[in-house]
Every structure is written in structure tokens, then in C-alpha cells.
Amino acid sequence: KNEVEQSPQNLTAQEGEFITINCSYSVGISALHWLQQHPGGGIVSLFMLSSGKKKHGRLIATINIQEKHSSLHITASHPRDSAVYICAVLGGGSNYKLTFGKGTLLTVNP
Amino acid sequence: DVKVTQSSRYLVKRTGEKVFLECVQDMDHENMFWYRQDPGLGLRLIYFSYDVKMKEKGDIPEGYSVSREKKERFSLILESASTNQTSMYLCASRHQSSYEQYFGPGTRLTVT
């Protein structure tokens, strides 16, 4: 069983909709990464957070350490947001090793 | 901006060939990582290096070796490529005092 679970696996939205992707993990962590990967592309780091909330443009990431849960929100979604979003946690006794979720494929239709 | 580059975007090799994948970062990062990414399995750590000439096995090191002779360069070596090593290979780096990893563009390797 993967220690990092993402939901949903696939998400289709209409342009302009508010989107939420969830990530739950089972181990104690030092930090949590949200990553973005466009089709055929490399991986871009969106956020690294240990507590609370971070905002960058239309993207917002929150984390609840007690509940072992994080969410990535996209406001006013756009077709260029279509990508795979990956949650990864740093912890479980290691300061080096990231444990990755399987990713959420987001498709935003115009 | 941190830049992590990989030597090839696409590579096709034959079974049994020795394959070198190169990764270079320009931000003086101590830590470097090699991952492979497969559909349905996500990203898995092959090897990482926490400093020059230092390396540790990740989750799936079998069939791979690595070399870190200079701080900016981390090489992944497939001693004898096999078809089950067909995959997307991603390199990443980070400063040892930071949690955030920066990824390269990936190398899609096909072994025929």
C-alpha cells in the first residue's frame, strides 16, 4: 500500500471552475511537495510546505499536519492547467527520500 | 533560477548495451537524485548522492550504478540495458539545508 494517496486519480473540469486535489499520507513528515508535470514534460515544483497555507497566483496549497492531509486548489482554472499533479512527502525517518503519490491527471476543457 | 539539465530527452539503446545518463545542476547543490517514472507506479528512487563521491541506494537500485566525481554532475549507468529498463528517467537536486527538490526535464529511454 502506497503511503501517499491522492484523490481523485482523474479530474475533468470546465474552464473557470474551482479545483481541489487531495493528498493523504500515513507517516510523520518533515515537508510536503506539490509537483506539476505537463504531458511529455519534466516536473516543476509548485510548493513545498511544512504547515499552514501557501499561495502562488491562482494556486493555493494547504496542509493539516494533525490530520496528515494536504490539498491543492486551483482557482479560475484554465486549459493550460491541464497536467498531472503529484504529491510527495519527505519523512518516515529520512531527510532525503521523497515518497510520491501516483498523481492526479487534470484536464481543463475550454 | 535553478537549472537541472539532462544529457538527452530521448534515447534508444539495444539490449545489453552500456548506457550513461548524465545530469548536471548549476546551483552548487550537495544532494542529487535519480528516479524512474512508470505508468501506474509513479516515481521511484533509484539512487541518490548526498555529496561528491557519496551515494546511497534507493528503492530500486538493481541493474543500475551511479557516479558522482564532481559536485555538479551525477551519472546513472545501466551496465547491461534490458527491456524492463525502458522508462522515463528523472534527475533532481537540492541544497542540503532545504527540503525542495528541483527536477530535470527527463530522459525517455527505450531499450529494444
Side-chain angles (χ1 to χ4, degrees):
Chain A
K1 185 180 186 298
N2 199 19
E3 294 171 338
V4 180
E5 298 287 340
Q6 286 185 238
S7 63
Q9 283 186 294
N10 294 281
L11 181 56
T12 301
Q14 287 300 121
E15 184 172 356
E17 284 185 7
F18 181 84
I19 287 161
T20 296
I21 299 170
N22 295 299
C23 176
S24 296
Y25 52 91
S26 57
V27 297
I29 68 167
S30 307
L32 183 143
H33 241 314
W34 279 104
L35 305 162
Q36 180 194 57
Q37 186 175 31
H38 281 103
I43 291 175
V44 174
S45 174
L46 298 175
F47 295 103
M48 191 95 201
L49 64 166
S50 308
S51 63
K53 178 178 173 177
K54 285 190 176 180
K55 185 175 190 291
H56 182 70
R58 295 180 294 106
L59 301 178
I60 303 165
T62 63
I63 188 168
N64 185 317
I65 296 292
Q66 287 74 30
E67 293 187 4
K68 293 186 167 61
H69 182 269
S70 175
S71 294
L72 176 68
H73 305 286
I74 304 175
T75 61
S77 60
H78 190 276
R80 65 175 174 265
D81 297 326
S82 298
V84 175
Y85 292 84
I86 302 168
C87 170
V89 301
L90 182 69
S94 169
N95 278 333
Y96 296 99
K97 184 170 173 278
L98 286 173
T99 302
F100 296 85
K102 298 244 171 96
T104 295
L105 174 60
L106 171 65
T107 303
V108 182
N109 294 317
Chain B
D1 275 354
V2 176
K3 193 158 185 189
V4 181
T5 57
Q6 294 183 228
S7 48
S8 307
R9 291 300 305 271
Y10 300 94
L11 205 53
V12 180
K13 294 291 181 180
R14 293 192 182 274
T15 302
E17 279 193 79
K18 190 168 187 175
V19 182
F20 292 87
L21 303 182
E22 303 284 334
C23 175
V24 177
Q25 49 91 6
D26 65 357
M27 282 301 292
D28 204 36
H29 285 173
E30 291 84 3
N31 306 154
M32 296 187 74
F33 306 81
W34 274 108
Y35 298 95
R36 64 177 282 177
Q37 185 180 32
D38 300 288
L41 296 176
L43 280 125
R44 293 177 291 167
L45 180 65
I46 305 171
Y47 266 97
F48 70 93
S49 168
Y50 43 94
D51 212 333
V52 178
K53 296 190 188 293
M54 311 296 269
K55 61 186 179 186
E56 280 201 27
K57 294 179 180 178
D59 297 320
I60 49 165
E62 298 78 19
Y64 304 95
S65 62
V66 290
S67 172
R68 183 114 181 257
E69 295 298 316
K70 292 186 177 181
K71 193 172 188 179
E72 67 271 18
R73 189 179 297 269
F74 190 34
S75 302
L76 180 70
I77 303 152
L78 288 65
E79 295 289 342
S80 177
S82 63
T83 54
N84 63 12
Q85 292 178 309
T86 291
S87 187
M88 169 72 97
Y89 290 88
L90 290 142
C91 174
S93 73
R94 71 165 205 187
H95 194 279
Q96 67 180 8
S97 63
S98 167
Y99 294 136
E100 189 165 8
Q101 291 189 23
Y102 297 87
F103 287 81
T107 296
R108 187 166 294 282
L109 173 67
T110 303
V111 183
T112 61

